[in-house]
Amino acid sequence: MDRTLTLLGIESSCDDTAAAVVRAGSGQPEILSSQVLGQTSLHEAFGGVVPEIAARAHAERLDGVVEDALAAAGVTLDQMDGIAVTAGPGLIGGVLSGVMLARGLAVARGLPLFPVNHLAGHALTPRLTDGIAFPYLMLLVSGGHCQFLLVKGVDRFVRLGGTIDDAPGEAFDKTAKLLGLPQPGGPAVEAEAASGDPKRFVFPRPLLDRDGCDMSFSGLKTALLRARDALVADKGGITVQDRRDLCAGFQAAVAEVLAKKTSRAIEMAGEELTALAVAGGVAANKTIRANLESVSAKSGIPFIAPPLKLCTDNAAMIAWAGIERLRAGISPTMEFVARPRWPLDDRAPALLGSGKKGAKA
Ligand code: KG4
Ligand code: ZN
């Protein structure tokens, strides 16, 4: 029987200041609290996350968010079996704020400290929510990440492929901007697409003809810009229906690329998978989700999409990754540095570029 463990998790790698307390024994793990303080309003005017503003906001807010998480869970620091903190990849100022606070608390209270890779947090979430066994395929799709990970163990990840430029969330956000829709762009574009014709504008499906499961989304945005400009040149502007059709065409292209590359990633995994799991804000998109569900049904494996608040950035996934490490016998350590880039799979070739929401790793 597993010993009951309670960990505090701290996450500050992008634009969410988060702390959570997770408890796990022999049954279903319990999220005792999960506080997420977003920074959307601080960055809104700049059209993207400003690293310096994010770092300062994390530094100012982390103490309070940790206190709130402990209070909401009804526990004190002394009742913790350890602290887990995101040590990268991400915007370095924010990561450092979290790491310094976690180190200070761990030293002051004599608690074991577990540095956690933010992407490992996302990748291990289906085990927190659904208790699935290794190995499974994880598709991470958000504003900053887009990659296929074969998750073989707590610390064993094989990156099968990923975007070579923009993350899909970034592409949704840029599309929204080009069409005068509000940010974050994903939900706005999805709402418009619901009453649009996905066949009127046929946008490119980049890299589908290429082997492997790497993806590219930046050309899609350029194609959309061209289609919009052609309409403007032609008619002096775009109508509401034009906008809906552009959104529907764009969404259909992203959904098709993700689905086709997912089938390919399942083949590339080359072993029997327990599930296809998704994480990241883009996984909220109903068309994308439906496409992925049908891919997993065709492959005969369950489809797992954790609740949205655990798919997007949060600290419960970090606390859980700490529990996984403790259980796997991985030693806690004070000897680590905060890392802006930290690929989960050291053997995979480096991905190009860095998203506006931070390192894609
Ligand atoms: O995982 P997330 O909350 O944050 C990070 O990227 O770290 O993902 C946010 C991204 C944004 O780019 C947003 O536009 C996108 O997820 N998103 C969506 C939808 N909801 C959020 N994209 C497409 N369809 C949606 N319904
Ligand atoms: Zn994330």
Side-chain angles (χ1 to χ4, degrees), residues 34-64:
S34 180
Q35 306 286 320
V36 180
L37 193 55
Q39 303 179 357
T40 311
S41 59
L42 300 180
H43 303 285
E44 219 161 27
F46 304 96
V49 176
V50 183
E52 289 76 11
I53 295 177
R56 180 171 301 209
H58 286 305
E60 283 168 0
R61 298 165 166 196
L62 265 167
D63 294 21

Side-chain angles (χ1 to χ4, degrees), residues 7-11 17-23 29-36 69 84 86 116 118 120-122 124-125 127-129 309-324:
L7 258 74
L8 169 69
I10 297 175
E11 155 65 38
T17 311
V21 178
V22 176
R23 176 169 290 163
E30 240 186 303
I31 298 171
L32 300 184
S33 66
S34 180
Q35 306 286 320
V36 180
T86 300
V116 168
H118 175 88
H122 280 303
L124 294 170
T125 300
R127 287 170 52 78
L128 165 65
T129 56
K309 60 181 192 305
L310 292 175
C311 270
T312 55
D313 287 352
N314 67 88
M317 69 179 189
I318 304 302
W320 170 250
I323 290 174
E324 290 259 44

Side-chain angles (χ1 to χ4, degrees), residues 256-325:
E256 187 183 332
V257 169
L258 286 173
K260 294 228 162 107
K261 292 288 181 174
T262 300
S263 330
R264 212 168 282 166
I266 291 173
E267 278 166 31
M268 283 170 73
E271 53 188 305
E272 203 153 312
L273 299 169
T274 60
L276 163 65
V278 287
V282 180
N285 185 286
K286 291 192 193 71
T287 304
I288 291 174
R289 212 178 250 246
N291 278 22
L292 295 173
E293 262 182 292
S294 79
V295 168
S296 63
K298 268 190 212 127
S299 308
I301 52 175
F303 176 69
I304 294 184
L308 196 59
K309 60 181 192 305
L310 292 175
C311 270
T312 55
D313 287 352
N314 67 88
M317 69 179 189
I318 304 302
W320 170 250
I323 290 174
E324 290 259 44
R325 296 180 81 75

Side-chain angles (χ1 to χ4, degrees), residues 10 50 59 79 90 96 130 143 158 170 228 230 252 280 330 336 339 345:
I10 297 175
V50 183
Q79 291 170 280
L96 271 170
D130 293 78
V158 179
E170 245 177 307
R228 183 203 67 176
I330 298 170
F336 66 93
R339 296 172 64 175
D345 176 356

Side-chain angles (χ1 to χ4, degrees), residues 158 161 183 210 223 235 283 295 302 348:
V158 179
Q183 298 292 318
R210 207 186 283 178
K235 311 191 286 192
V295 168

Side-chain angles (χ1 to χ4, degrees), residues 14-16 118 122 141-145 167-173 183-191 250-251 279-286 288 308 311-313 356-357:
C14 188
D15 59 347
D16 290 303
H118 175 88
H122 280 303
V141 266
S142 70
H145 325 295
E170 245 177 307
F172 269 96
D173 294 342
Q183 298 292 318
V189 170
E190 179 173 21
F250 165 83
Q251 181 176 272
V282 180
N285 185 286
K286 291 192 193 71
I288 291 174
L308 196 59
C311 270
T312 55
D313 287 352
K356 85 175 156 63
K357 297 196 90 187

